[in-house]
Amino acid sequence: MTAQYQVHGAVAIITLDNPPVNGLGLSTRTAVVAGVQKALADAAVKAIILTGAGKAFSGGADIKEFNSPSAFAEPSLHTLIEVVESASKPVIAAIHSVCMGGGLELALGCHYRVASPGAQIALPEVKLGILPGAGGTQRLPRAVGLELALNMIVSGTPIASEKLAHTALFSKLIDGDLMEGALAFADSVADARPLPKVRDVKVDYPNYEAFLQFSRNTVKAMSGPYPAPLKCVEAVAASVTMKFDDGIKFERNLFIELVQTTESKALRHAFFGERAASKIPDVPADTPVRAIKSAAVIGAGTMGGGIAMNFVNAGIPVMLLETRQEALDKGIATIRKNYENTMKKGKLTQEKFDQRVGMISGTLNYADIGQADIVVEAVFEDMGVKETVFRKLDEVMKQGAILASNTSTLDVDQIASFTKRPQDVIGTHFFSPANVMKLLEIVRGKATAKDVLATTLALSKKIKKTGVVSGVCDGFIGNRMIEQYSRQAGFLIEEGALPEQVDKAVEKFGFAMGPFRMGDLAGNDIGWYIRKRRYVEKPEIIYSKTADLLCELGRYGQKTGAGWYDYKAGDRKAYASSLVNDMIIQHSADIGVERRKISDQEIIERLVYSLVNEAAHILEEGIAMRASDIDMVYLTGYGFPVFRGGPMFYADTVGLPNVLMAMEKLAKGRHGDAWAPAPLLVKLAAEGKTFN
């Protein structure tokens, strides 16, 4: 059973018991309804307490039931709340730890609510592109007031229970043992009648029309492409302007409308995609993991420093290794400065600052890092350099240490072959800035041990990253795809577009940054280095030469104050460069290409579908396990618009036959060979299927 029933004196206690967060799935809803009915039928029972086992009162809907008939099967959440609210004996919600979404809506249906301090209270549905659909938008304003309820519902942000103590949400905050306090409270209200119902409260807010209009204007300006925040305002407004039952119907209609939107489907896809990414079919959830109590990082540059901060933020001490004292001092000073800036913004206390800085040490000697549980190599992207480092690590690291490489493109199997322990070698591709970006591409070599993979996935969670597993290939998932995207960006400027037009079109589509601004930020010399390697290894791949010409001018991007764009000292804004634009136009003439007007639609199709087509190859080859993993890589590491759900989800939305049709048209243009469709894409389109 997912809810327990017991009687304590004259009080029945119904405990939700559906780990990890007591999700209100069908079996739980059924068990609670049965429990309430049993208590009502027992003459000896005077009051009912509803609480949650383990680490939550209830986190809301059971995510395992999302998109399944069980989610709406009777007793629905609406029915459960009705049974509780209309009970003839007082029902008291005893809230601790987590009370969110449907869990809070259920608590609002109870006659009384008591809570432990520190319980996290929220209606976070807006984060999935929907709104509370079981009376939350109608009852919360009646319990905490219009303004606070609106802020909570539109933001979805949790608030600690003690900060809501002044409202009618809680009858009492209980400092000691929650159940002891709840039982005493239940005894005190057992005979009180009539039973208070949140639905009977009138929302009283002077001049509410002006407040609601102000809220609409503010939310509209801030919600961008997402429809849910504004609909939340409309639903909350109904709590003032409509009778309760009409407000409930209005909320329900808005909920059903939002569930159908592409934006909500994309947000839900991302929510489940993140959870699915850590599930590896041949690595069971109970695979033992290695203890990671200390770490070492080779290289104290931008990347190494950022990686070290991830460990320290999670409470894992780090030793940085450099070849020169000067480089080591500079790296540690940069980390210190980063923490100082965070402290200045009020996001870090002096105590935490001292603690974190105290967990970083440095050395020039490999022998000093030998006892670390994991070592991450973050040196220059060159196989010869990696070989030197890994041969040395193989000599000095203790048995059972994980040897990880932050390579972004190189062969992890080859790197593993430089050691006598390939089973302990794994790729951990962090994204820059490593202490900020959420993505961690975890590259599983052919010899990587299952416990090493399980440990690295667990570690990615601990350091607050979204870990996505990739097989070994040049560029793994993200960079292998971005190469095709960058090639198309190069061809577009050869054929008639300019960097600013391409970037603006992509940013209007929703990307955080267009390909040319991205190149300037990452450093154009990195792409140049990779292309030089490609010219030797894969001479059949054609690239636009514009990026090479740019690098020959020394325009590597923001770090040199000039790239595809011009930059001013102390200003990261990109200014169009007439010198670069003239160079591009001249290059087109030099290679005999007549420039033409290129539409924004063509820019989007060429850039996004080049990602999709390469991703279909990656899926087919088994480099990625599932389409949603590819979407997670692009949502968390490459700035793909979340409201579009990632490249694969976007292709599904457009319809795979339509994607193919667009690609067939592009194949008739210059460099048409780049548009040979992946067999998997052709197969799925023909069968009327989708990637996800």
Side-chain angles (χ1 to χ4, degrees), residues 516-580:
F516 297 102
R517 278 180 60 208
M518 186 177 77
D520 278 359
L521 181 67
N524 296 309
D525 51 328
I526 294 169
W528 193 25
Y529 181 81
I530 292 168
R531 282 191 305 280
K532 284 177 182 169
R533 179 160 67 83
R534 289 280 191 279
Y535 296 150
V536 177
E537 292 172 7
K538 295 183 178 174
E540 72 282 1
I541 299 180
I542 299 165
Y543 296 88
S544 162
K545 285 284 187 283
T546 45
D548 294 359
L549 295 171
L550 185 81
C551 290
E552 283 164 18
L553 294 171
R555 296 180 68 103
Y556 295 162
Q558 284 189 16
K559 60 185 170 189
T560 56
W564 292 104
Y565 297 94
D566 292 332
Y567 297 90
K568 295 173 185 171
D571 176 4
R572 285 179 166 241
K573 190 171 183 284
Y575 296 90
S577 165
S578 52
L579 183 141
V580 171

Side-chain angles (χ1 to χ4, degrees), residues 7 93 151 176 188-189 207 224 228 252 379 390 419 453 514 567 573 577 622 633 646 655 665 675:
V7 176
N151 288 340
S188 73
V189 297
N207 200 2
R252 192 81 199 137
V379 301
F390 273 83
T419 74
L453 182 58
Y567 297 90
K573 190 171 183 284
S577 165
V633 165
K665 199 168 140 196
W675 293 105

Side-chain angles (χ1 to χ4, degrees), residues 229-264:
L230 208 50
K231 297 283 189 203
C232 286
V233 178
E234 295 311 333
V236 171
S239 71
V240 197
T241 60
M242 294 182 188
K243 288 184 177 145
F244 182 81
D245 289 331
D246 295 336
I248 288 281
K249 279 184 201 136
F250 183 67
E251 172 194 88
R252 192 81 199 137
N253 291 338
L254 290 180
F255 176 84
I256 289 163
E257 198 182 307
L258 284 171
V259 165
Q260 303 307 320
T261 61
T262 305
E263 291 82 1
S264 174

